[in-house]
Amino acid sequence: LGSILQIPPGEGREFVIAGQRITVFRPRSGGLYATQAHCPHRQGPLAEGIIGGTTVICPYHAWKFDVSTGKGLPTNPGEGCLRTYPVRLAE
């Protein structure tokens, strides 16, 4: 995808890979995580969400997801999970 410097710590960026929109997150706590690009609730752009630790908050309706597992957190008013993708940092 390019340099890790494209994604500032504490943010996410959306990419298109093989026709799929994904968001790559770089939490301030370290690591890289990739999920589907949009919230399953109302298609909110997750790259614009707030990320703290491994939790991203959708900018539309504040649904929360763990970007490391894709699981929706108990605060979500309904069920929902994110599709996750493996990430590898190359030298």
Side-chain angles (χ1 to χ4, degrees), residues 9-29:
E11 295 187 21
R13 292 290 185 267
E14 188 174 313
F15 297 91
V16 177
I17 301 171
Q20 296 284 333
R21 291 192 176 279
I22 66 161
T23 296
V24 178
F25 296 97
R26 185 179 177 198
R28 291 186 190 282
S29 57

Side-chain angles (χ1 to χ4, degrees), residues 3-71:
S3 171
I4 191 172
L5 299 176
Q6 293 180 93
I7 309 168
E11 295 187 21
R13 292 290 185 267
E14 188 174 313
F15 297 91
V16 177
I17 301 171
Q20 296 284 333
R21 291 192 176 279
I22 66 161
T23 296
V24 178
F25 296 97
R26 185 179 177 198
R28 291 186 190 282
S29 57
L32 288 173
Y33 303 94
T35 71
Q36 67 191 58
H38 295 92
C39 179
H41 176 235
R42 297 282 182 167
Q43 302 302 304
L46 295 175
E48 295 176 21
I50 297 170
I51 186 160
T54 59
T55 299
V56 66
I57 303 171
C58 177
Y60 283 8
H61 298 101
W63 279 34
K64 297 178 183 179
F65 302 91
D66 184 323
V67 296
S68 67
T69 64
K71 292 183 180 178

